[in-house]
Amino acid sequence: MSTFCSLPFVHLATHPHGGVTLCCVSDFTNAKNSSRNFNNGSPQYLNLNNNTVEDVMNSDYFKGVRLQMLNNEQPEACRRCYLEETAGIRSKRIEENERLQFTEDIARATTSEAGAIPVNFKFVELRLGNLCNVKCRTCNPSSSTSWSSEYMKLQKEITFVTQYDKSINSSWTENDEFWDDLLAHCDDLQLLYINGGEPTLVEKHWKFLQKLIDRGLHRQVTLWYNINMTNLPDKLIAIWKQFKAVQVSCSIDDLGKRNEYIRTGTKWHDVVNNLNKLQSLPWIHVSVCQTVSWLNVMYLNEFHEFMAKRNLSVYMNFVHDPKFLSIRILPKTCVSKVLPCSNTLPQHQIDAIISNLAVEENASQWDNGVKYNAWLDSSRNTSLRTTFSRIFEIIPNE
């Protein structure tokens, strides 16, 4: 079986801090999937705050990965896809090879002996810094500026949370040189994925979309967004309408007050109004991305039934970090009580829930999760036990 994947050849995967990786499912452990050069054996990590698109795509590491694939070897950071395929699962590698239609033969013809390529993207993922107006409990300031000051206080008292470095730089999203540099490598662009932070707040990317239109590239480009449903400017929608296709994935985790609790800063009536607005535009494909944690796991049937009545499909994203909010930390005695709360979901989603519940995690993480939410409740004048009472009904000794 060939190990070839088109992504290292025609794809840009950015991250809020300006780093670039092979893709979003490659192994992030110790930054092993990140663009870097090797100076006397020491890694020099490249970043869009300081380096060009050409620099990051033709870094020593990316060139080496391409040569490994063309030699039918498996790059270490790509093992997830190869393992999934061995298990009979349809991997991202397979899906992207089919979608992008950039073959191994084309790769061999355009890749130098050293692994360098002429940079011409078919697929670009832009995670546009950490500018955001929402303070999600399953997130942190690396992806949201709105709770930086609160989090700095939190991490002094709740020491088991991920420590946030406030010196992290996301200025690349406001740099005209970056946007011009990117545009120069997008003649073959097919798919533009845009996330944040909250991407609708980053007006520089609106100008980039207009430049794609001015060049006539919009006719070949599908836009794919993840947004938090708080901000839906008419001006941006007018720009979207000119593209080949538009997909909007709405980040919503629960209904009503429960969603407002998890995604602090959202108002449920705004979420519903913006859903109505999107669904009134038949040229936009609308779906929902739900982040599943032990906070909302007991309410899944209600959530999915609500979305089904609106003819909205739901993709479930399971919390793995922070571990103390993952459903994997629930005591195994809870499994039989959790599953009936998801029994109306499609079978593949039920299977995903069962798979996550089957993973053994340190039980002390439950106490950490309660402490974390208690601190935020004190700061935000909210109540975990009132808002998500069902989970406490099934936890032993609670």
Side-chain angles (χ1 to χ4, degrees):
M1 179 186 73
S2 169
T3 65
F4 174 76
C5 177
S6 58
L7 293 181
F9 297 83
V10 293
H11 169 239
L12 178 69
T14 72
H15 296 275
H17 54 81
V20 175
T21 60
L22 294 171
C23 78
C24 63
V25 303
S26 53
D27 189 349
F28 284 76
T29 305
N30 298 322
K32 68 173 60 174
N33 62 350
S34 295
S35 176
R36 58 196 183 273
N37 289 330
F38 303 107
N39 295 324
N40 298 320
S42 299
Q44 175 197 355
Y45 290 93
L46 304 182
N47 190 290
L48 293 171
N49 289 299
N50 306 307
N51 302 106
T52 67
V53 168
E54 179 79 31
D55 290 338
V56 298
M57 291 303 297
N58 280 318
S59 66
D60 293 342
Y61 174 65
F62 275 29
K63 288 189 291 186
V65 165
R66 292 186 198 111
L67 293 179
Q68 283 184 284
M69 289 181 173
L70 295 179
N71 287 329
N72 206 34
E73 300 169 10
Q74 295 183 4
E76 182 181 1
C78 302
R79 285 186 54 79
R80 172 174 169 174
C81 281
Y82 303 125
L83 289 172
E84 286 180 346
E85 291 161 20
T86 300
I89 298 171
R90 185 175 169 81
S91 70
K92 182 176 178 65
R93 182 182 82 95
I94 291 174
E95 290 181 350
E96 298 300 349
N97 283 351
E98 291 180 1
R99 172 164 55 185
L100 298 175
Q101 294 296 299
F102 184 85
T103 67
E104 186 170 349
D105 286 342
I106 298 173
R108 290 186 184 281
T110 56
T111 304
S112 75
E113 291 185 3
I117 56 168
V119 180
N120 197 1
F121 298 120
K122 287 180 175 287
F123 179 14
V124 170
E125 294 183 63
L126 295 177
R127 293 173 179 84
L128 295 175
N130 63 344
L131 177 63
C132 188
N133 56 348
V134 172
K135 301 186 287 186
C136 297
R137 294 188 183 224
T138 53
C139 187
N140 63 58
S142 294
S143 295
S144 174
T145 52
S146 66
W147 67 312
S148 296
S149 59
E150 182 183 45
Y151 198 90
M152 297 304 289
K153 297 175 184 176
L154 166 68
Q155 67 184 10
K156 290 179 181 178
E157 299 182 37
I158 308 294
T159 55
F160 52 77
V161 300
T162 299
Q163 295 296 297
Y164 170 63
D165 181 359
K166 63 181 179 181
S167 67
I168 290 175
N169 184 359
S170 294
S171 63
W172 64 278
T173 62
E174 294 297 321
N175 187 339
D176 289 332
E177 291 181 359
F178 161 73
W179 292 106
D180 290 341
D181 185 22
L182 176 61
L183 184 64
H185 298 286
C186 286
D187 286 348
D188 289 341
L189 186 63
Q190 297 175 5
L191 178 61
L192 179 58
Y193 172 77
I194 302 175
N195 200 340
E198 172 49 34
T200 61
L201 299 176
V202 183
E203 295 192 23
K204 288 281 187 181
H205 101 273
W206 303 11
K207 297 178 180 179
F208 176 74
L209 296 181
Q210 185 59 54
K211 289 181 178 180
L212 291 176
I213 294 169
D214 294 342
R215 285 195 172 198
L217 298 174
H218 59 295
R219 300 183 187 93
Q220 68 193 41
V221 174
T222 293
L223 300 179
W224 174 17
Y225 277 79
N226 268 94
I227 63 175
N228 66 22
M229 301 304 291
T230 64
N231 185 53
L232 203 56
D234 290 336
K235 181 178 178 181
L236 183 56
I237 290 177
I239 295 173
W240 288 354
K241 190 172 184 179
Q242 300 180 66
F243 281 78
K244 177 182 178 181
V246 181
Q247 305 172 22
V248 177
S249 182
C250 309
S251 294
I252 309 171
D253 295 340
D254 212 324
L255 304 179
K257 293 295 183 182
R258 295 193 299 271
N259 192 69
E260 293 177 354
Y261 181 97
I262 297 172
R263 304 182 64 83
T264 303
T266 62
K267 298 296 180 185
W268 184 244
H269 60 82
D270 291 337
V271 171
V272 173
N273 287 342
N274 283 325
L275 266 180
N276 292 337
K277 187 175 181 178
L278 284 174
Q279 290 194 280
S280 72
L281 302 170
W283 47 273
I284 297 180
H285 180 268
V286 186
S287 61
V288 173
C289 180
Q290 180 188 30
T291 297
V292 178
S293 65
W294 60 254
L295 295 169
N296 57 2
V297 73
M298 300 294 289
Y299 303 88
L300 292 179
N301 281 339
E302 296 173 25
F303 181 81
H304 286 244
E305 288 167 8
F306 177 89
M307 296 304 171
K309 289 178 181 178
R310 301 184 67 103
N311 295 314
L312 289 168
S313 59
V314 179
Y315 168 78
M316 295 196 306
N317 173 43
F318 290 87
V319 172
H320 299 298
D321 182 20
K323 280 187 178 181
F324 52 76
L325 294 182
S326 170
I327 66 172
R328 295 181 173 196
I329 69 169
L330 292 175
K332 300 313 162 195
T333 55
C334 297
V335 172
S336 62
K337 298 175 183 178
V338 169
L339 290 179
C341 298
S342 61
N343 59 10
T344 65
L345 276 59
Q347 188 59 49
H348 72 277
Q349 292 183 329
I350 295 174
D351 291 343
I353 294 166
I354 293 172
S355 176
N356 276 274
L357 288 171
V359 176
E360 293 287 345
E361 290 283 8
N362 188 335
S364 68
Q365 293 285 3
W366 166 259
D367 292 333
N368 288 346
V370 173
K371 290 176 184 176
Y372 169 81
N373 282 296
W375 193 98
L376 290 178
D377 283 349
S378 177
S379 176
R380 300 177 182 182
N381 193 29
T382 52
S383 172
L384 171 64
R385 290 176 180 267
T386 300
T387 310
F388 296 95
S389 58
R390 289 183 191 172
I391 194 68
F392 292 95
E393 294 171 1
I394 68 167
I395 298 294
N397 305 318
E398 288 291 341

